[in-house]
Amino acid sequence: MKGMKKKNRFGWAVVQSRFVILIAAFILLIPSVIGYLGTKTNYDMLSYLPDSFETMKGQSIMEDEFGTGGFSFIMVQDMPFKDVAAMKKKMEKVDHVEKVLWYDDFADISIPVEVLPDKIKDAFYREDKNETLLMVVLKTGTSSDESGDAIEALRKIAKKQCFISGMTAGLIDTKALADKEAPVYVILAVILCLIVLQLTMDSFMAPLLFLVSIGMAVLYNMGTNWIFGKISYVTKALAAVLQLGVTLDYSIFLWHSYIEQRDRHPDDPKHAMATAIKATLSSVIGSSITTVAGFLAMCFMTYRLGINLGLVMAKGVLFGVATVVTVLPALILVLDKPLQKTRHKAIIPNFKWIPDWVQKYYPILLVVFGLIWLPAAYGQSHTNVYYDLARTLPKSLPSVQANTKLEDDFDMSTTEMVLAPQSVSRKDMEQMEKKIRDLDGVTAVLGIDNIVGSQLPEEMIPTELWDTFNSKNWRMFIIMSNYKLASDEVNQQCDQIQKIIKGYDKNCMLVGEAPCTKDLIETTNTDFTVVNWTSIAMVAVIIFFVLQSVSLPVILVAAIEFAIFINMSIPFFMHQTLPFIASIVIGTIQLGSTVDYAILMTTRYKFERSTGKSRKESVYIAHRTSINSILVSALSFFGATFGVSLYSKIDMISSLCTLLARGALISMVTVVFILPALLYACDGLIVHTSLGFLPKKGKKEKAAGEALGEEMSAKET
């Protein structure tokens, strides 16, 4: 016994320290909860663009030089101008509001609207609807807490006939909706996973312990996110669900290993658990590496949301592994007696017919594999994506209603700002503004020189108005456009504006939501290629070292990529549009999370082949002994994500979970039906390009290997 303990020090240390581990684990939940509550959430997807981009530099200049961060528009319907002016004064006193622009900043409200210059009237008034427009200039950034507080205060001041639009208002509504839905995501994931586990496991109580252990790992992960300062709302919403889906396998590995050892040593559960921990640790480390690699591949994105999501999820997998080999064994040992009493036969049937069927028809499956590649590859490369996330929010949200009204009544969808150095003359500014005003899609240009003319001396312009559009080093004017955000038209318009302003001074900048979104489109198009190839390369290298093969990395990755292509092509054939982030991260998550299924089957195939068994016998045994594990794993991943996909009203979350849930099932079907066919067909190539697939010379070694193989087959059967 002492010799065995020396060989398995970690396993025995966990067993002997089980009560200390549980006490420490529960105590660590306290700082984890504090860390979770103290971690801020970022709801602005544009803020993850690199700081080196000109649009992001321009945003910093707006804040530093003009004291201006975000903009919002307030539409006021059927309200006398004197009441509008009074409301405006109240709004200007709100904390973090720099200025509220209205037409009284350019002309006295005693002047009849009919005689106002068209430049002012078109920007601020719609006579046919008796509506006027106020522009709120915020001191702080679009996504800052201060700006959010300001918008909430403005909503309290605004009357019923007022509609507050803008990006900050949209972020507030997104925050409220996401915070409301997030707890439900976890509840749905837990319930559906519990149902899957109760149907597929041989114990009623064990799944509950799995979820307790994983729940702790999730809290540890979420509690340590404070080191990043902020996490995105997408990361916050998906992290717990994804962590549950991708790490549940590890708990199942430990349980199966423990039960096997428990049956061997019925009177010594401690010995059984110590041995199970050792076996689980070696298998889980190999399994988790590919998952971690898939998440870390997202860190190569220029768009920094990838780093945020990738690091949080990679950290979550590591916490999952740590709790499975420490906390879960301690829980199982402490509750061993009730666990043994609640054991039962698994309800899930034994799918013995599948290996026989695949062996018989594998040539046909290979033909199907080849025929589906082309349409799947075409579909996934032509699936449409969208970048305007606000347009997919529920229409009942106040910001969505306001944005729709702004678009319908004032023919305005986007707002941009032009920054020009003070070295650009007021005459050039006037000409610049006029050229932009004449562009298709531009509904109004708000700038001092465009409205009052460059000939009016600076001394005659009200100081407050002058300071709104001028700083020590920069001049600024505002452009209103009726082109939709992220559309080809607005992107082309941004290019035209850039050409105009750069013609006057190369240091001029175009900033705002539309040019930022244009940068996002160009950046993520590149990121898609980088992340996909990086994840493929990382996973292939891991498979190369794990299986010691040159050909298997290609075969296994090809099988999972086939599943990914099918998953990503379905929206194309169903005429669906995906959120832009889905096309980037789904491939790497699905690859990293489900390639384990293929590695599991191939590892057993390698073992059987190394004992001298034939190609057909080796693939058949590997197939038969792997099916149930693959089904449980895939169905658990499906359960963790499917409920969220149906429930969430935030399309980005819903779409991502739909793809993840569907991807788990498609990968499962691919590994169960296509991978064995590939192994049958490529056996000759595999054994000659890999180490350890052929038996060593000598009858004793071969006989011993065959005996061990038969023993393993009998146990797993």
Side-chain angles (χ1 to χ4, degrees):
M1 181 67 74
K2 288 183 178 180
M4 295 179 68
K5 287 186 177 182
K6 284 184 178 180
K7 292 180 181 179
N8 184 17
R9 289 181 179 177
F10 179 78
W12 279 104
V14 171
V15 169
Q16 292 171 345
S17 306
R18 57 192 181 279
F19 292 108
V20 175
I21 287 172
L22 287 179
I23 292 170
F26 282 103
I27 290 175
L28 285 174
L29 292 177
I30 298 172
S32 296
V33 171
I34 294 172
Y36 172 72
L37 296 175
T39 303
K40 293 185 177 181
T41 307
N42 186 2
Y43 297 84
D44 183 2
M45 294 295 98
L46 295 178
S47 66
Y48 289 103
L49 286 168
D51 293 333
S52 59
F53 281 21
E54 186 176 272
T55 46
M56 302 307 289
K57 290 180 180 178
Q59 297 279 20
S60 297
I61 291 172
M62 290 291 293
E63 288 191 47
D64 297 339
E65 294 266 344
F66 290 88
T68 298
F71 289 85
S72 283
F73 290 94
I74 303 177
M75 286 148 289
V76 183
Q77 193 170 28
D78 299 325
M79 183 182 289
F81 277 10
K82 62 180 181 63
D83 293 340
V84 175
M87 184 177 70
K88 177 193 168 187
K89 287 183 178 179
K90 288 183 181 179
M91 289 181 170
E92 287 182 321
K93 294 178 181 178
V94 170
D95 289 341
H96 314 300
V97 170
E98 173 67 21
K99 175 72 178 173
V100 180
L101 283 175
W102 188 41
Y103 96 82
D104 66 347
D105 289 295
F106 301 91
D108 194 278
I109 61 171
S110 60
I111 300 174
V113 175
E114 293 77 14
V115 301
L116 286 173
D118 289 340
K119 295 174 183 178
I120 298 177
K121 187 166 62 175
D122 291 346
F124 292 104
Y125 187 67
R126 288 295 180 270
E127 187 175 2
D128 56 333
K129 298 182 182 294
N130 194 22
E131 283 183 337
T132 189
L133 184 70
L134 294 85
M135 181 175 183
V136 179
V137 182
L138 301 169
K139 294 179 181 179
T140 46
T142 300
S143 58
S144 69
D145 293 337
E146 293 81 5
S147 292
D149 293 340
I151 294 297
E152 293 284 15
L154 292 173
R155 282 178 169 174
K156 291 179 181 178
I157 294 173
K159 307 297 182 182
K160 288 183 179 180
Q161 64 265 50
C162 298
F163 301 85
I164 301 179
S165 69
M167 192 172 171
T168 302
L171 294 179
I172 290 174
D173 291 342
T174 301
K175 178 181 184 298
L177 185 59
D179 290 349
K180 177 184 175 183
E181 289 189 350
V184 183
Y185 298 162
V186 178
I187 293 171
L188 286 172
V190 167
I191 290 173
L192 291 178
C193 278
L194 197 57
I195 291 172
V196 170
L197 292 173
Q198 293 293 356
L199 292 174
T200 57
M201 295 292 295
D202 57 356
S203 170
F204 290 119
M205 189 174 177
L208 296 174
L209 299 189
F210 296 171
L211 295 176
V212 169
S213 171
I214 295 171
M216 288 182 169
V218 168
L219 276 173
Y220 299 153
N221 186 33
M222 300 301 284
T224 53
N225 285 336
W226 62 268
I227 62 176
F228 303 124
K230 283 185 178 183
I231 60 170
S232 75
Y233 80 93
V234 176
T235 304
K236 182 179 179 181
L238 290 179
V241 171
L242 273 178
Q243 190 174 339
L244 173 61
V246 301
T247 63
L248 190 56
D249 293 357
Y250 312 153
S251 301
I252 297 170
F253 291 163
L254 177 78
W255 174 255
H256 284 162
S257 183
Y258 173 66
I259 291 302
E260 180 183 342
Q261 296 298 325
R262 189 75 169 77
D263 291 340
R264 286 185 181 181
H265 309 281
D267 299 323
D268 195 353
K270 294 179 184 178
H271 179 268
M273 181 57 76
T275 307
I277 291 171
K278 182 180 180 181
T280 302
L281 191 60
S282 58
S283 61
V284 162
I285 287 176
S287 176
S288 62
I289 288 173
T290 54
T291 307
V292 170
F295 287 123
L296 290 181
M298 290 190 283
C299 296
F300 289 88
M301 291 171 60
T302 304
Y303 183 54
R304 293 175 299 179
L305 176 62
I307 298 175
N308 189 268
L309 180 59
L311 290 179
V312 169
M313 287 314 307
K315 179 162 59 73
V317 173
L318 296 179
F319 274 119
V321 172
T323 55
V324 161
V325 296
T326 56
V327 177
L328 183 58
L331 285 170
I332 290 174
L333 280 178
V334 170
L335 299 170
D336 182 68
K337 288 184 179 179
L339 277 168
Q340 297 306 318
K341 290 180 180 179
T342 57
R343 287 181 61 183
H344 61 86
K345 286 187 178 181
I347 300 173
I348 189 171
N350 195 329
F351 295 93
K352 291 182 179 179
W353 63 270
I354 295 179
D356 295 315
W357 190 87
V358 171
Q359 190 175 69
K360 185 177 180 179
Y361 296 107
Y362 81 86
I364 297 174
L365 290 170
L366 290 175
V367 172
V368 172
F369 176 70
L371 291 176
I372 294 178
W373 257 111
L374 268 178
Y378 180 85
Q380 72 91 27
S381 63
H382 288 79
T383 296
N384 292 321
V385 299
Y386 67 82
Y387 292 83
D388 185 2
L389 304 180
R391 290 186 179 277
T392 61
L393 293 172
K395 298 189 185 308
S396 59
L397 295 180
S399 60
V400 175
Q401 294 177 351
N403 288 337
T404 301
K405 193 166 184 63
L406 180 67
E407 187 177 319
D408 293 343
D409 295 358
F410 281 85
D411 203 21
M412 189 196 310
S413 293
T414 56
T415 307
E416 295 88 47
M417 286 70 69
V418 168
L419 292 172
Q422 281 289 350
S423 57
V424 179
S425 67
R426 288 184 60 195
K427 183 178 180 182
D428 285 346
M429 289 291 289
E430 184 178 8
Q431 292 175 354
M432 192 190 305
E433 293 169 19
K434 185 178 184 305
K435 288 180 181 179
I436 293 172
R437 177 65 184 86
D438 292 337
L439 291 175
D440 290 340
V442 174
T443 56
V445 174
L446 287 179
I448 289 179
D449 304 296
N450 181 56
I451 293 176
V452 303
S454 59
Q455 303 302 318
L456 186 67
E458 179 182 332
E459 306 81 57
M460 297 184 65
I461 301 173
T463 302
E464 190 175 0
L465 182 59
W466 174 263
D467 291 343
T468 300
F469 293 96
N470 286 271
S471 71
K472 181 180 178 181
N473 300 302
W474 296 88
R475 303 181 189 276
M476 184 264 288
F477 61 86
I478 300 165
I479 304 165
M480 300 176 182
S481 171
N482 62 12
Y483 288 152
K484 295 183 185 297
L485 187 69
S487 64
D488 292 338
E489 292 83 5
V490 82
N491 291 336
Q492 184 180 359
Q493 186 184 80
C494 287
D495 288 336
Q496 292 172 330
I497 294 172
Q498 287 276 18
K499 186 177 180 180
I500 291 172
I501 64 178
K502 296 292 186 183
Y504 287 91
D505 192 302
K506 65 179 182 179
N507 294 314
C508 288
M509 300 180 185
L510 178 65
V511 298
E513 193 174 1
C516 280
T517 304
K518 182 175 179 292
D519 283 345
L520 177 64
I521 294 171
E522 295 170 355
T523 301
T524 51
N525 283 340
T526 304
D527 281 344
F528 174 76
T529 304
V530 171
V531 170
N532 276 345
W533 283 109
T534 301
S535 61
I536 288 172
M538 292 173 71
V539 170
V541 169
I542 292 169
I543 296 173
F544 170 78
F545 284 108
V546 169
L547 296 175
Q548 296 178 297
S549 172
V550 174
S551 55
L552 281 172
V554 177
I555 294 170
L556 268 58
V557 169
I560 301 301
E561 284 296 317
F562 171 73
I564 293 169
F565 278 22
I566 293 176
N567 189 22
M568 293 299 295
S569 68
I570 290 174
F572 171 77
F573 293 110
M574 294 182 67
H575 306 290
Q576 296 173 341
T577 304
L578 298 176
F580 71 94
I581 196 67
S583 63
I584 303 172
V585 304
I586 288 300
T588 185
I589 293 176
Q590 187 175 341
L591 175 61
S593 303
T594 63
V595 75
D596 293 347
Y597 311 163
I599 294 174
L600 175 69
M601 184 182 295
T602 309
T603 302
R604 184 58 189 269
Y605 156 69
K606 176 181 179 178
F607 171 80
E608 298 299 336
R609 204 73 175 87
S610 70
T611 63
K613 290 187 175 64
S614 67
R615 173 195 65 163
K616 286 193 174 182
E617 192 176 5
S618 298
V619 176
Y620 181 84
I621 292 173
H623 195 184
R624 177 168 52 82
T625 56
S626 303
I627 284 180
N628 276 29
S629 296
I630 293 169
L631 286 175
V632 174
S633 179
L635 291 175
S636 298
F637 198 169
F638 174 81
T641 50
F642 180 66
V644 179
S645 72
L646 294 180
Y647 172 77
S648 181
K649 294 179 182 178
I650 302 174
D651 191 63
M652 176 178 276
I653 306 298
S654 176
S655 295
L656 283 169
C657 286
T658 297
L659 289 165
L660 290 169
R662 188 169 64 208
L665 296 183
I666 296 172
S667 289
M668 177 189 74
V669 171
T670 300
V671 172
V672 169
F673 288 94
I674 300 298
L675 181 60
L678 290 172
L679 295 179
Y680 280 126
C682 301
D683 178 79
L685 173 66
I686 292 169
V687 297
H688 288 97
T689 57
S690 312
L691 296 176
F693 276 79
L694 294 176
K696 295 178 181 179
K697 292 181 180 180
K699 294 182 179 180
K700 289 183 179 180
E701 291 86 353
K702 181 176 179 181
E706 288 179 338
L708 181 59
E710 289 171 1
E711 184 183 351
M712 289 180 66
S713 300
K715 286 174 188 173
E716 293 196 31
T717 304

